[in-house]
Amino acid sequence: MTDVTRLVIFGRQGAGKGTQCDRIIDHFGVIHLSTGDMFRVAVAAETELGKQVEPIMQSGGLVPDEMTIGIVRERLSQPDVESKGFVLDGFPRTPGQAEALVEMLGDARLTAVINLDVPLDEVTARMKARGREDDTDEGIAKRLALYDSETVPTINWFAERGMVVNVDGLGTEDEVAERIFAAIESSD
Ligand code: ADP
């Protein structure tokens, strides 16, 4: 029997991760788990967590691992996620989060770790064009720098364990989606 599909997708901000996550969800029927969305919901609802993370998000910094791991752990243990599988978007973003993820999954192994590869100048242009509230020049620069200092080592952490599939993120949405589906199906 085939196990449920459990995915992690990496890609610089502006790499088209959000769009491709929607395609993955339609195709595989998995649940989208975006830590950015979870934090934005907490900020909008003005919860205790939301009040703590709001200034961090505004400045383009990373929310501390304990808080981020906590929010993911809670969501991963819910029955819909356990039965349908998931695509994690924006998590893990540090090697500490990666270790925590593998530990919390235990025997429920990841199906694939996708690295959506788009050159830096292309993502910078795309981010400037989309104009989200935390997409100030300073915020963009800080998030891109954090991607290199924290998330690239996280991708390497998975790569060292032979778990990463690199997917070329340049091309039409359909072309990129087809590459991702093929990568997931061959990792199954
Ligand atoms: P982007 O892909 O543009 O960075 P996200 O929606 O993934 O946007 O995240 C928005 C913000 O939420 C991040 O800049 C960061 O402050 C916080 N955040 C999201 N995921 C994480 C994470 N795994 N670890 C730490 N902070 C996070």
Side-chain angles (χ1 to χ4, degrees), residues 18-102:
T19 309
Q20 294 303 330
C21 278
D22 290 342
R23 306 292 292 259
I24 291 171
I25 292 153
D26 281 350
H27 193 83
F28 294 97
V30 293
I31 294 177
H32 187 207
L33 300 182
S34 154
T35 42
D37 286 352
M38 292 177 201
F39 289 139
R40 279 185 284 276
V41 166
V43 169
E46 297 178 16
T47 63
E48 211 40 60
L49 175 76
K51 285 178 197 151
Q52 284 177 286
V53 302
E54 189 174 19
I56 302 172
M57 291 175 76
Q58 284 289 343
S59 75
L62 286 181
V63 174
D65 276 0
E66 315 84 72
M67 283 185 214
T68 309
I69 291 165
I71 203 172
V72 172
R73 189 189 299 279
E74 201 179 300
R75 189 66 186 94
L76 276 182
S77 66
Q78 287 162 8
D80 58 335
V81 173
E82 287 190 345
S83 63
K84 292 183 179 168
F86 58 80
V87 55
L88 270 170
D89 168 11
F91 181 93
R93 224 144 151 142
T94 65
Q97 293 177 11
E99 281 181 43
L101 173 64
V102 168

Side-chain angles (χ1 to χ4, degrees), residues 153-164:
T154 311
I155 300 170
N156 292 341
W157 188 92
F158 284 109
E160 282 159 17
R161 287 157 182 80
M163 296 168 79
V164 176

